[in-house]
């Protein structure tokens, strides 16, 4: 499976790293609703290792959470479920765009195509994308364990006659950080080579990740200079160090990007 990324400077030193939207993908009208009995059947303590069984459980819980989230969005206006969904949307709007990018890099991704303006140095583009992946592997690992440590404290709110929103939010954030962690490791695997990996240990890199990345090759990534992206970026004032809203709209339309996510990169510090 292939992931197509778009990279371009959006404001000063801030760059946008976003993934093409899959225009051919369509979500099913009805989400799967697996039973707990099916989960127990899939878990095999004899043939499967513990990490594989843990991944099966996580995937099962993710389906349950997605189904619950969709049902909240379908709730009538003014109801408690609708208000919870609106609150969730406001909280999600503060999630950093790099986290959403890393979450989209699943274990099925075997190749990355990176479109960028030809005016940028191709080695710099790849180096900065590699930095995003490496930093994500460190940051999201820390926040994943931090979220897990908060779950016992938020569980005490279950005694109240209201939905335990803090518990489910922390649970969701733990899962989100876990997804971003796995995505960052996968992306780092795809865009790194042996010459870079030699420095990981001295920089505090993870040994397991290091051994996996040693198998990486340049066949896993392709840099694609895009004249179309260059023209969209410099259609107006080329001296400006920030991309304006109309330019962002044009780029998002051409590459199927989420404008709200792209604009978040302008406010990053």
């Amino acid at each position: 499976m292939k992931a197509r990324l778009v990279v371009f400077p959006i404001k000063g030193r801030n760059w946008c790293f976003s993934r093409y939207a899959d225009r051919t993908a369509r979500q099913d009208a009805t989400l799967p609703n697996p039973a707990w009995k099916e989960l127990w059947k899939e878990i095999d303590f004899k043939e499967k290792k513990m990490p594989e069984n843990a991944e099966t459980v996580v995937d099962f819980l993710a389906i349950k959470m997605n189904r619950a989230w969709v049902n909240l969005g379908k709730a009538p206006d003014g109801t408690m479920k609708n208000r919870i969904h609106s609150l969730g949307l406001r909280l999600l709007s503060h999630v950093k765009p790099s986290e959403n990018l890393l979450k989209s890099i699943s274990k099925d991704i075997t190749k990355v195509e990176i479109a960028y303006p030809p005016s940028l140095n191709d080695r710099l583009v790849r180096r900065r994308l590699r930095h995003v992946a490496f930093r994500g592997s460190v940051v999201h690992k820390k926040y994943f364990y931090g979220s897990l440590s908060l779950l016992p404290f938020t569980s005490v709110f279950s005694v109240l006659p209201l939905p335990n929103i803090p518990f489910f939010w922390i649970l969701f954030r733990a899962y989100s950080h876990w997804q971003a962690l796995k995505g960052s490791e996968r992306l780092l695997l795809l865009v790194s080579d042996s010459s870079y990996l030699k420095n990981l240990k001295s920089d505090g890199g993870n040994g397991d990740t290091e051994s996996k990345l040693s198998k990486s090759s340049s066949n896993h990534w392709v840099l694609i200079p895009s004249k179309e992206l260059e023209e969209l970026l410099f259609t107006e004032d080329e001296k400006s160090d920030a991309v304006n809203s109309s330019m962002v709209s044009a780029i998002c339309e051409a590459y199927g990007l989420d404008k709200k996510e792209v604009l978040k990169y302008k406010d990053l510090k």
Side-chain angles (χ1 to χ4, degrees), residues 30-46:
T30 58
L31 294 176
N33 187 23
W36 291 95
K37 292 182 179 180
E38 297 178 14
L39 173 63
W40 185 254
K41 291 179 181 178
E42 292 183 14
I43 297 178
D44 191 338
F45 295 100
K46 294 182 179 180

Side-chain angles (χ1 to χ4, degrees), residues 218-266:
S218 59
N219 294 329
H220 293 154
W221 52 270
V222 179
L223 289 168
I224 305 176
S226 173
K227 293 183 179 180
E228 179 185 7
L229 181 57
E230 182 88 12
E231 293 173 355
L232 291 172
L233 281 171
F234 301 112
T235 52
E236 297 182 12
D237 185 5
E238 297 188 10
K239 297 181 180 180
S240 176
D241 65 345
V243 178
N244 60 43
S245 181
S246 62
M247 296 162 69
V248 170
S249 298
I251 293 172
C252 291
E253 178 66 24
Y255 291 94
L257 309 181
D258 186 336
K259 184 178 179 179
K260 292 182 179 179
E261 287 296 306
V262 172
L263 288 174
K264 285 182 181 180
Y265 281 99
K266 295 186 70 174

Side-chain angles (χ1 to χ4, degrees), residues 102 136-138 140-141 144-145 176-186:
L102 295 174
S137 66
V138 176
H140 292 292
K141 183 177 182 179
F144 169 66
Y145 287 113
S176 184
H177 287 304
W178 181 85
Q179 277 188 308
L181 171 61
K182 293 301 179 182
S184 61
E185 292 176 348
R186 186 64 179 175

Side-chain angles (χ1 to χ4, degrees), residues 9-22:
I10 190 169
K11 182 180 180 181
R13 295 177 60 86
N14 289 1
W15 285 21
C16 171
F17 301 87
S18 191
R19 184 176 174 181
Y20 283 51
D22 188 355

Side-chain angles (χ1 to χ4, degrees), residues 133 137 180-190 209 212-213:
S137 66
L181 171 61
K182 293 301 179 182
S184 61
E185 292 176 348
R186 186 64 179 175
L187 182 59
L188 192 58
L189 166 67
L190 296 173
T209 302
K212 292 178 183 178
L213 296 180

